[in-house]
Every structure is written in C-alpha cells, then in structure tokens.
Amino acid sequence: MVRLISITGNSMSPTLRHNNLILISKRRKIVANDVVVVNTNSSGLIVKRVKSVSGDFMYLVGDNPRLESSFCNSKMSINAILGVVFMRIDINIVEFLGKKFLVPINFSLL
C-alpha cells in the first residue's frame, strides 16, 4: 500500500522541506540510509533517516545538522515504521478564485 504524507518542519532539510509531500510504502527489510516514517507514541508521525539497524531496533538521525530531535540516536523498534519514503513531491500553493490549490512542480525519487 502507498500512502501520501505532508511534511511539517525542517529536520530533514535539505532532503525534505516543509510542505513537501512524500509517498511511502511498506518494505520488509529496513537498511541504513533509508528515509522512514515512524509512528511515535509521544509525537505522532516523524520522518527521519535510518542511521543503523540492529536486529529489531534502529537508530535514527535527521538530515539538518542545525536541528536536534529527541528521537535521534535513540533506540527505536523497527515495528514502529509506517513505511519507507520513495518519492518527494515539491508543491506550490496557488490561490484561484478565493480557493487554495496544491500544484505539484517537481517529483524526485529517493
């Protein structure tokens, strides 16, 4: 199954930016450098890069060296992964006749 998710925040910049859309899919094997969407109990969904995998656990990092996250370098269960990011969609928000529309301007495979 493929899911569409909107990015909020800049912890994964420059790879992913605020208001990007991403497509994710489930994958059985998670490896280092995958960009994943993780469901956390305390903060909802987060998007991070897999730093390393050890058995059923992983360590995550953000791509933006200027921003720290409490989830980075913490041991997390691989079972919390909703999916692996495989496409980024850059969008513009366009107003037309008083309504706002999302207009895709670029598609990038990750």
Side-chain angles (χ1 to χ4, degrees):
M1 174 173 67
V2 173
R3 293 179 68 176
L4 178 70
I5 295 175
S6 177
I7 297 293
T8 56
N10 291 305
S11 70
M12 287 299 293
S13 182
T15 307
L16 302 172
R17 294 189 173 92
H18 185 70
N19 285 334
N20 281 155
L21 299 176
I22 56 173
L23 291 176
I24 67 169
S25 67
K26 269 293 212 191
R27 188 186 318 155
R28 289 179 189 232
K29 184 168 173 83
I30 301 299
V31 297
N33 287 321
D34 280 345
V35 177
V36 295
V37 176
V38 177
N39 190 5
T40 69
N41 291 331
S42 58
S43 296
L45 300 181
I46 62 168
V47 180
K48 298 290 180 215
R49 186 174 300 279
V50 176
K51 180 178 180 181
S52 63
V53 177
S54 178
D56 291 337
F57 294 95
M58 65 185 165
Y59 292 88
L60 304 174
V61 293
D63 284 0
N64 189 339
R66 295 183 188 153
L67 296 176
E68 283 292 319
S69 167
S70 59
F71 296 100
C72 291
N73 296 312
S74 297
K75 189 176 182 180
M76 297 189 73
S77 172
I78 286 181
N79 295 327
I81 294 175
L82 283 183
V84 177
V85 178
F86 68 90
M87 180 178 283
R88 179 189 77 217
I89 305 169
D90 300 324
I91 61 166
N92 274 343
I93 300 173
V94 176
E95 195 165 329
F96 181 71
L97 298 174
K99 298 191 185 252
K100 292 183 180 180
F101 297 90
L102 301 178
V103 179
I105 57 172
N106 188 36
F107 298 85
S108 302
L109 294 176
L110 293 183

